[in-house]
Amino acid sequence: METHPFPLRLHVQLGERSYPIIIGSEVLEGASEHLRALQPSQVVLITHPQLAEWYGEPLRQRMEQTGIPTYLLTIPPGERTKRWEVAGRLLRQMAQLTLDRRCIVAALGGGVIGDLGGFVAACYLRGVRYVQIPTTLLAQVDSSVGGKTGVNLPEGKNLVGAFHQPVLVLIDIDTLKTLPRRHFRAGLAEVLKYGIIADETLWRLVNAEAHNLRQGDSAHLAEIIYRCCEIKANIVSEDETEQGVRATLNFGHTVAHALEAVAGYGRLLHGEAVSIGMVCAALVGELTGVTPVGTAEEIARALRALGLPVALPRGVEFDDLLAVMARDKKARDGQVRFVLIERIGQARLPIAVNEKEVRHALGMHREKFLWGAM
Ligand code: NAD
Ligand code: GLY
């Protein structure tokens, strides 16, 4: 894999809505300059209390030095925060601050903050600009790029939302030093996903670096994040609203989203659910003859080496999973759809899979990989 000088820069190419992704060390120190260059009337930083103390307040102070009024709004951490009522509260706070159409929302945090902050930006005054400043590995390699914003409903993940692209993504890999190990590993599931769906070289690099990555670091980390963002930027540039190739990014997500909803939001981390879901999807692929037999085992081995779960959580009923899958955004006419892989490095567009095959795959999953703790 090529090496790149720091900081690394990529572009999501979407005509007048194109935007840069800047990746490197100490990127947060320069964030106020990047924000100032966008000439906002005001800036509102949305984050969690702990992140506000470490990263948000210093950034707010640097913004104030540029003369741009900057406010910090905090919400509690956790997937359960990504809901309608919290978005409503944030919108009211923004209105009370009399933020105008030229304001910028800066989402400083993981995927929860990014999805919620982006959603609030999409709704406020019918849409204002926002900047993603992702601080988890998952958000740095996936959720901060591409403009999918939204909230969960009790009925399912991300059922309410909007496509609303950020105007800038600032990725400071130093922030990962404070990220708890479990969350870092959860992000590795999405990293491996890119290798599985689009890039065998990345798959090999992640496997070779598994020991270091599992411990939360690797000399190749910036390069790995860059490559993931590059794959995502290319896919989003080609298919912004998921009419085709973008759907391949959902590999493992049919089961993952159902697991998250059935287990209760927050019990399984999103990346952990994706880890289990990718093994299920590989089994569905093997059963339908799309994926070479043995691939699920190979993927499970790689995920375990990264410290990720692969077994279905104990107590989760197949009937409940299937009911949620039928309501998933990817479902059509009540038929569950799966992204399958033809081999490591090559995904296929989603296909409908009948309930019998899904049950069969879930049964095989339980037999091969047993039940996991939750
Ligand atoms: P998260 O946002 O809940 O963050 C995980 C935890 O880490 C939180 O407690 C947070 O406070 C803490 N944290 C964040 N940065 C930290 C840091 N630098 N140091 C210490 N603690 C830190 O979880 P996540 O895994 O980042 O995101 C999951 C969400 O992302 C899910 O809701 C998922 O649906 C969404 N997602 C969205 C997309 C998309 O395209 N929009 C893609 C993938 C996932
Ligand atoms: N995380 C899937 C997407 O952005 O399309």
Side-chain angles (χ1 to χ4, degrees):
M1 195 174 280
E2 283 175 60
T3 49
H4 300 267
F6 254 45
L8 311 169
R9 205 177 246 271
L10 285 162
H11 270 88
V12 179
Q13 305 287 2
L14 288 168
E16 60 187 17
R17 285 174 299 106
S18 298
Y19 54 93
I21 305 169
I22 295 168
I23 306 165
S25 239
E26 299 179 9
V27 170
L28 260 180
E29 272 80 83
S32 54
E33 273 311 303
H34 287 293
L35 284 163
R36 194 181 59 85
L38 295 167
Q39 301 183 329
S41 50
Q42 304 117 317
V43 169
V44 59
L45 291 165
I46 299 182
T47 191
H48 299 309
Q50 181 65 80
L51 299 179
E53 190 186 321
W54 290 338
Y55 308 116
E57 182 53 27
L59 176 55
R60 193 194 67 76
Q61 286 176 18
R62 283 197 295 275
M63 283 309 302
E64 288 283 352
Q65 282 160 17
T66 68
I68 298 165
T70 302
Y71 310 97
L72 255 177
L73 296 181
T74 61
I75 54 173
E79 185 70 30
R80 276 183 293 265
T81 297
K82 206 177 107 176
R83 60 177 200 273
W84 189 248
E85 295 80 1
V86 178
R89 248 189 337 261
L90 286 169
L91 286 165
R92 288 198 58 195
Q93 287 174 300
M94 287 164 67
Q96 283 154 16
L97 291 168
T98 56
L99 300 181
D100 67 28
R101 282 215 160 110
R102 291 173 307 126
C103 77
I104 282 187
V105 173
L108 174 69
V112 164
I113 288 284
D115 284 11
L116 195 56
F119 182 57
V120 159
C123 298
Y124 188 66
L125 304 182
R126 299 202 179 92
V128 295
R129 294 175 295 169
Y130 77 111
V131 172
Q132 290 274 18
I133 312 180
T135 61
T136 63
L137 180 61
L138 184 138
Q140 295 190 351
V141 298
D142 192 350
S143 60
S144 63
V145 176
K148 276 191 183 176
T149 74
V151 293
N152 304 323
L153 293 181
E155 287 75 13
K157 276 274 293 184
N158 300 334
L159 287 187
V160 177
F163 283 102
H164 185 54
Q165 299 295 338
V167 290
L168 171 68
V169 181
L170 292 175
I171 299 179
D172 188 333
I173 63 169
D174 297 339
T175 59
L176 298 178
K177 290 183 186 142
T178 55
L179 184 66
R181 189 72 52 85
R182 183 178 170 203
H183 287 283
F184 184 86
R185 288 179 179 168
L188 291 173
E190 299 278 12
V191 169
L192 200 68
K193 176 193 78 178
Y194 286 107
I196 296 170
I197 63 165
D199 186 351
E200 208 187 340
T201 309
L202 177 63
W203 158 269
R204 280 199 296 269
L205 176 64
V206 174
N207 276 291
E209 278 295 300
H211 176 75
N212 295 330
L213 287 169
R214 185 191 173 112
Q215 303 310 319
D217 201 9
S218 156
H220 295 273
L221 190 57
E223 200 185 324
I224 287 171
I225 293 171
Y226 177 91
R227 182 60 190 138
C228 295
C229 287
E230 187 176 39
I231 294 170
K232 182 139 188 194
N234 288 341
I235 289 178
V236 170
S237 300
E238 188 181 328
D239 176 23
E240 182 182 8
T241 56
E242 204 171 298
Q243 307 305 308
V245 67
R246 183 162 182 172
T248 59
L249 292 169
N250 295 325
F251 178 66
H253 285 58
T254 304
V255 169
H257 283 169
L259 273 174
E260 284 183 87
V262 169
Y265 293 125
R267 282 181 78 189
L268 268 178
L269 300 180
H270 177 69
E272 292 169 345
V274 169
S275 175
I276 300 165
M278 290 196 292
V279 178
C280 273
L283 284 171
V284 171
E286 290 185 19
L287 276 173
T288 49
V290 174
T291 309
V293 173
T295 308
E297 194 68 61
E298 198 183 349
I299 292 175
R301 229 182 355 260
L303 291 164
R304 281 203 200 98
L306 293 168
L308 283 156
V310 296
L312 288 165
R314 198 179 294 280
V316 165
E317 300 288 342
F318 293 175
D319 284 343
D320 295 337
L321 288 178
L322 281 154
V324 178
M325 282 185 222
R327 282 198 298 266
D328 193 272
K329 290 191 299 311
K330 295 174 283 303
R332 279 196 203 154
D333 305 324
Q335 267 224 306
V336 178
R337 291 161 64 80
F338 275 82
V339 176
L340 302 179
I341 48 163
E342 291 171 3
R343 57 173 174 81
I344 301 285
Q346 183 64 55
R348 232 191 220 191
L349 293 182
I351 57 163
V353 178
N354 68 43
E355 188 183 316
K356 208 166 127 221
E357 281 169 322
V358 181
R359 277 186 194 279
H360 190 170
L362 290 170
M364 263 173 74
H365 193 129
R366 187 170 51 188
E367 229 171 77
K368 273 176 175 274
F369 303 104
L370 305 175
W371 290 111
M374 235 183 29

